[in-house]
């Protein structure tokens, strides 16, 4: 299994409009961050995690790959603002499969009601929503375990897929979720900036979670310009922790492979 980081920025992206800070003025391509999204590839099938307003650009930059489904962590605009651009993927079967919580499903129906009309206008995206809870579900032959976390007061989900856990926009992770991912091979987790924030982990808080989970390797995502330039911020990280960046592709050994190596 592999994961491609399509976007590693926060809701404003990096560089941020009308900002002259060192991060936003950086010429390092690692400091060009689209809104947060990722693509998991398993058995040559691609599963999208979140579909923000940069979705079209992200797909073009990685060669317009076929997508099997979309899994949504929560319904904030920077994670669902590109749903209308799923149109090219909606021509098959009963509509493009989307997996999300019931509250997210309700928000999508309110935001793009034309996609769910009894008699839809020709050409609008056909979306087939499956509501998830805390129970595992299967997407394109891959078992996915929802990971409940809190985004300030909003319950949202991350996803555990074999030996990978992907968590974004978290401010608190319940003990029950930590137990599900403890000792996992690869952990992707959000850290917005160095200073504290009301609804996102800052870097220190993310590092504390990583120290508790003890993955083989961890990647930081969903970063704002306040994290600082990539080259400088990377120096703050302990061994086994890296800043993700747009376009980075990582390979995750399956559980059987890691067990054999222990």
């Amino acid at each position: 299994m592999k994961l491609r980081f399509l976007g590693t920025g926060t809701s404003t992206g990096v560089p941020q409009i009308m900002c002259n800070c060192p991060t936003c003025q950086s010429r390092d391509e690692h400091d060009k961050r689209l809104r947060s999204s990722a693509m998991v590839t398993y058995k040559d099938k691609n599963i999208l995690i979140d579909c923000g307003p940069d979705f079209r650009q992200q797909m073009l930059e990685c060669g317009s790959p076929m997508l099997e489904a979309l899994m949504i962590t929560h319904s904030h605009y920077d994670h669902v603002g590109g749903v209308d651009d799923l149109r090219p993927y909606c021509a098959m079967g009963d509509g493009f499969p989307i997996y999300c919580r019931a509250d997210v499903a309700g928000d999508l129906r309110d935001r793009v009601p034309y996609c769910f009309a009894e008699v839809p206008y020709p050409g609008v995206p056909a979306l087939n929503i499956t509501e998830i809870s805390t129970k595992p579900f299967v997407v394109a032959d891959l078992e996915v375990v929802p990971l409940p976390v809190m985004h300030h007061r909003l319950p949202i989900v991350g996803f555990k897929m074999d030996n990978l856990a992907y968590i974004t926009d978290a401010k608190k992770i319940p003990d029950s979720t930590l137990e599900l991912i403890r000792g996992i091979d690869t952990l992707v987790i959000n850290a917005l900036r160095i200073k504290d924030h009301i609804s996102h982990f800052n870097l220190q808080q993310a590092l504390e979670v990583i120290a508790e989970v003890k993955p083989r390797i961890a990647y930081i995502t969903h970063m704002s310009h306040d994290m600082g330039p990539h080259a400088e911020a990377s120096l703050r990280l302990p061994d086994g922790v890296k800043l993700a960046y747009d376009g980075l592709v990582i390979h995750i050994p399956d559980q059987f492979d890691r067990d054999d190596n222990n």
Side-chain angles (χ1 to χ4, degrees):
M1 182 167 58
K2 65 181 180 181
L3 180 139
R4 181 185 180 106
F5 291 94
L6 301 174
T8 56
T10 187
S11 57
T12 58
V14 182
Q16 183 172 300
I17 293 172
M18 296 184 68
C19 182
N20 294 314
C21 78
T23 310
C24 291
Q25 295 302 306
S26 170
R27 295 185 179 182
D28 185 348
E29 287 301 312
H30 295 89
D31 291 318
K32 313 301 182 187
R33 301 185 182 278
L34 300 175
R35 268 65 73 91
S36 182
S37 177
M39 182 174 66
V40 173
T41 302
Y42 178 73
K43 294 183 178 179
D44 296 322
K45 295 180 179 180
N46 300 315
I47 304 166
L48 182 67
I49 302 177
D50 288 336
C51 185
D54 298 319
F55 169 71
R56 175 180 173 277
Q57 180 181 348
Q58 291 164 341
M59 287 296 96
L60 290 173
E61 288 185 356
C62 62
S64 299
M66 180 59 67
L67 296 175
E68 300 294 326
L70 163 65
M71 304 189 303
I72 301 177
T73 59
H74 64 297
S75 62
H76 285 170
Y77 180 78
D78 55 319
H79 295 262
V80 299
V83 165
D84 187 88
D85 286 329
L86 286 168
R87 291 168 188 256
Y89 297 99
C90 294
M92 299 170 291
D94 297 323
F96 187 75
I98 296 178
Y99 296 82
C100 61
R101 285 170 45 101
D103 60 303
V104 176
D107 284 347
L108 287 179
R109 292 186 176 100
D110 288 341
R111 292 185 188 207
V112 286
Y114 51 88
C115 295
F116 304 98
E118 186 174 342
V119 182
Y121 186 83
V124 303
L127 307 177
N128 183 1
I129 295 179
T130 297
E131 295 181 5
I132 62 173
S133 59
T134 58
K135 296 180 179 179
F137 58 96
V138 176
V139 183
D141 299 324
L142 177 64
E143 182 178 81
V144 181
V145 179
L147 299 173
V149 300
M150 293 300 296
H151 186 21
H152 188 37
R153 297 176 182 174
L154 177 67
I156 68 172
V157 293
F159 301 106
K160 178 178 180 289
M161 299 149 281
D162 192 48
N163 226 357
L164 165 69
Y166 183 96
I167 294 173
T168 187
D169 287 58
K171 179 62 176 181
K172 180 177 175 58
I173 301 181
D175 290 342
S176 55
T177 295
L178 288 172
E179 196 58 38
L180 288 172
I181 62 175
R182 191 167 280 117
I184 202 161
D185 181 86
T186 305
L187 172 63
V188 177
I189 191 167
N190 63 287
L192 186 70
R193 61 191 192 189
I194 305 302
K195 294 182 179 180
D196 196 24
H197 188 272
I198 192 171
S199 61
H200 295 263
F201 286 138
N202 66 7
L203 180 58
Q204 182 57 41
Q205 291 161 344
L207 292 177
E208 289 170 0
V209 172
I210 292 167
E212 183 168 356
V213 172
K214 294 181 172 60
R216 178 185 63 86
I217 191 164
Y219 292 88
I220 303 294
T221 192
H222 206 290
M223 290 167 277
S224 77
H225 61 162
D226 291 321
M227 182 65 78
H230 178 95
E232 295 177 15
S234 295
L235 300 177
R236 301 174 182 265
L237 303 180
D239 291 343
V241 182
K242 298 182 179 182
L243 298 183
Y245 55 87
D246 292 17
L248 172 65
V249 177
I250 60 174
H251 294 263
I252 300 96
D254 62 32
Q255 187 67 50
F256 180 80
D257 288 342
R258 189 177 185 198
D259 288 346
D260 274 357
N261 290 331
N262 286 344

